[in-house]
Amino acid sequence: MEAFMKVKANGGSNGVDGISINEVNANKRKYLYPLWNRMASGSYYPKAVRRVMIPKDDGKKKRPLGIPTVVDRVAQQVITTELETIMDKQFSANSFGYRPNKNAHQAIEQCRHNCIKYSWVIDLDINGFFDNINHELLMRAIKHYANKKHILMYVERWLQAPVQLEDGTMKVNQGKGTPQGGVISPVLANIFLHVVFDKWMEKNYPEAPFERYADDIVIHCYNIKESLRMLANINKRMNKCMLKLNQQKSKIVYCRRNQKRQPPFKPRYQKFDFLGYTFKPRITKGRGKFKLGFTPAISQKRQTKMAKVFIKLKIHRMVHLHLSDIAVILEPKLRGWINYFGKFRKSEMRKVFRVLNLRLARWVRNKYRRFRKKHWYASYKQLKQISVDYPNMFIHWQHGFLP
């Protein structure tokens, strides 16, 4: 029941059986009691995983997302909770992804501090990580830390479950990959990279700090020679563990934070993205003085993605609604974005909210006839006056992003 409440809170769509979370919630005894009975007796077998293709951040390519049935997600949550209690003590302090009392902001904050101390960064990108996790190596890693028969048995069954493609055909397991979208996938990914990367780094490069959030990894180095050697050795390590680094996206970045001291050559990269933030040289103010720092702020990719959401919502056509109704519709998205991307250098979000304010000005122009034959700035001026009269209407207005 506790596992189901977590699955219900996370939401999500139906699996191959078409049964929704609301249907399970309406008749818990029908769906959850048999699951408990089968899991307790060892006779539980998961159904196929439904695969859907979702667009990546660039909007051009797509990545697969596996959606297990609601009942299978509940079963996975049961084992995930048990695995987390065993593994959380073992995980590295530099691992922040999908762990209790750890979050992305802590990883970004640690990365920011390390960028002040170290001049070079290795930005790692693993090619199709979730699709290429080797099952044999993964099971060996789990056996080493959590040698309980029921955990090993059910993890193996989930890994071997077939995948239903979008055209309805079934794809048989190929001995690798854990579906992104499954409840247990993040924990399995953490266990795998804990052995493959974290422990290996602590053994071979104890002096090099790093931050890892699932498969997003950033490593800090003092000089370029050390960075090149380390990247070559990491590449060998990944190949040995049946993984490949994306050579186009994995790069060595110079953390330029001083105008005078620079390397004797021109670095190819002077910025990198980590967890939706871009780290790059920026003017900062400290102790009353302006200086060049290397700080995080919302990335351009995320800003573009958020602007596309505003355009897709077609706010300017919601003329049947009042402005306060639009504010209610946008509130959950805006609050979530500001809470996450406003943690570091919130002022960089002004470009995104300028797009939103322009969409709202178009709404004013479409809503009131007197603005239709006037210059667009007349409607924008009216929106300005509304923001002065009702500064708390929109969440972004409350944070100072007024028209």
Side-chain angles (χ1 to χ4, degrees):
M1 185 62 73
E2 286 174 15
F4 172 69
M5 296 314 289
K6 287 181 181 178
V7 170
K8 184 185 171 188
N10 291 330
S13 56
N14 313 340
V16 291
D17 57 1
I19 297 168
S20 67
I21 291 173
N22 292 333
E23 286 179 65
V24 177
N25 190 43
N27 199 342
K28 296 185 186 75
R29 182 175 287 273
K30 180 182 174 181
Y31 297 104
L32 299 184
Y33 178 77
L35 175 65
W36 167 79
N37 206 336
R38 286 169 192 154
M39 287 194 80
S41 63
S43 60
Y44 159 75
Y45 282 87
K47 289 186 171 67
V49 177
R50 183 168 69 90
R51 175 179 284 184
V52 293
M53 302 301 287
I54 59 169
K56 286 189 172 183
D57 288 343
D58 57 9
K60 297 173 184 176
K61 294 181 181 179
K62 290 187 175 182
R63 64 181 176 89
L65 186 73
I67 305 172
T69 64
V70 176
V71 172
D72 287 343
R73 294 210 293 272
V74 174
Q76 287 185 15
Q77 185 62 59
V78 172
I79 302 298
T80 298
T81 306
E82 196 171 350
L83 257 178
E84 277 178 347
T85 54
I86 298 166
M87 289 302 304
D88 199 57
K89 301 167 190 173
Q90 307 291 337
F91 285 146
S92 167
N94 298 315
S95 172
F96 296 89
Y98 308 107
R99 290 182 60 192
N101 304 317
K102 294 272 188 178
N103 58 49
H105 284 156
Q106 290 173 341
I108 295 161
E109 179 64 25
Q110 183 174 304
C111 187
R112 188 180 70 85
H113 278 292
N114 284 330
C115 284
I116 295 168
K117 297 176 188 175
Y118 297 82
S119 296
W120 296 89
V121 153
I122 302 173
D123 181 19
L124 286 184
D125 187 275
I126 301 171
N127 207 6
F129 171 66
F130 282 91
D131 298 329
N132 292 305
I133 294 176
N134 185 275
H135 290 176
E136 189 183 339
L137 294 176
L138 176 60
M139 292 307 297
R140 277 169 60 186
I142 296 169
K143 278 178 189 175
H144 181 74
Y145 291 105
N147 197 13
K148 290 187 177 180
K149 285 183 180 179
H150 67 284
I151 291 177
L152 298 172
M153 179 176 67
Y154 287 133
V155 168
E156 201 161 0
R157 287 180 188 177
W158 284 315
L159 292 174
Q160 291 173 355
V163 175
Q164 187 188 63
L165 304 178
E166 288 180 306
D167 58 0
T169 56
M170 288 290 180
K171 184 182 176 184
V172 185
N173 172 266
Q174 296 176 333
K176 64 176 184 177
T178 171
Q180 242 178 311
V183 175
I184 202 164
S185 291
V187 182
L188 298 182
N190 263 345
I191 293 169
F192 192 73
L193 277 178
H194 172 69
V195 176
V196 170
F197 182 79
D198 297 358
K199 297 294 284 183
W200 181 84
M201 277 292 292
E202 287 168 6
K203 182 183 176 182
N204 293 281
Y205 298 99
E207 74 288 344
F210 66 90
E211 293 82 38
R212 182 175 71 77
Y213 194 96
D215 60 329
D216 287 341
I217 305 169
V218 171
I219 310 157
H220 304 269
C221 304
Y222 277 118
N223 56 64
I224 185 68
K225 289 181 180 178
E226 183 191 358
S227 306
L228 289 165
R229 281 195 299 269
M230 195 184 294
L231 183 57
N233 290 334
I234 290 168
N235 196 23
K236 288 177 188 175
R237 173 66 177 172
M238 292 295 173
N239 290 339
K240 192 178 176 182
C241 298
M242 311 295 182
L243 294 173
K244 283 185 180 180
L245 290 182
N246 189 327
Q247 300 299 335
Q248 279 76 38
K249 292 184 179 178
S250 295
K251 55 184 183 281
I252 296 172
V253 183
Y254 175 60
C255 304
R256 184 187 172 198
R257 57 192 183 277
N258 193 307
Q259 200 69 33
K260 295 175 184 177
R261 297 174 67 185
Q262 290 209 42
F265 57 91
K266 188 178 180 181
R268 188 176 176 185
Y269 300 105
Q270 292 193 37
K271 66 176 181 178
F272 67 92
D273 286 2
F274 183 52
L275 301 178
Y277 280 80
T278 296
F279 285 75
K280 70 174 186 179
R282 304 175 201 271
I283 299 297
T284 58
K285 189 180 180 182
R287 296 177 183 176
K289 292 181 180 180
F290 290 99
K291 61 180 181 178
L292 190 69
F294 197 83
T295 56
I298 182 172
S299 69
Q300 187 58 52
K301 284 182 184 176
R302 291 290 177 175
Q303 290 187 54
T304 306
K305 198 174 180 182
M306 288 157 70
K308 282 180 180 176
V309 171
F310 296 141
I311 294 164
K312 195 176 179 181
L313 284 170
K314 296 181 179 177
I315 299 162
H316 61 289
R317 293 187 183 176
M318 296 180 181
V319 290
H320 57 290
L321 298 174
H322 192 269
L323 198 60
S324 58
D325 298 326
I326 296 172
V328 171
I329 293 166
L330 292 176
E331 184 182 359
K333 283 185 187 295
L334 299 184
R335 192 180 294 278
W337 285 338
I338 290 170
N339 286 345
Y340 184 77
F341 293 109
K343 181 75 173 177
F344 301 92
R345 212 171 175 99
K346 193 196 293 181
S347 58
E348 290 291 322
M349 298 185 78
R350 66 185 181 277
K351 294 176 188 174
V352 178
F353 293 125
R354 186 171 182 273
V355 173
L356 176 56
N357 287 332
L358 287 169
R359 306 304 291 184
L360 293 172
R362 281 188 69 182
W363 176 88
V364 172
R365 187 185 177 90
N366 293 342
K367 177 81 171 176
Y368 304 107
R369 286 185 181 179
R370 66 181 183 272
F371 295 109
R372 289 177 193 175
K373 291 183 181 180
K374 292 181 181 179
H375 192 270
W376 69 269
Y377 190 73
S379 56
Y380 195 79
K381 198 175 177 182
Q382 177 65 21
L383 186 70
K384 268 188 173 182
Q385 188 56 49
I386 294 169
S387 70
V388 170
D389 296 338
Y390 305 97
N392 295 323
M393 185 181 289
F394 285 89
I395 296 295
H396 68 293
W397 290 358
Q398 294 174 22
H399 289 267
F401 299 103
L402 297 167

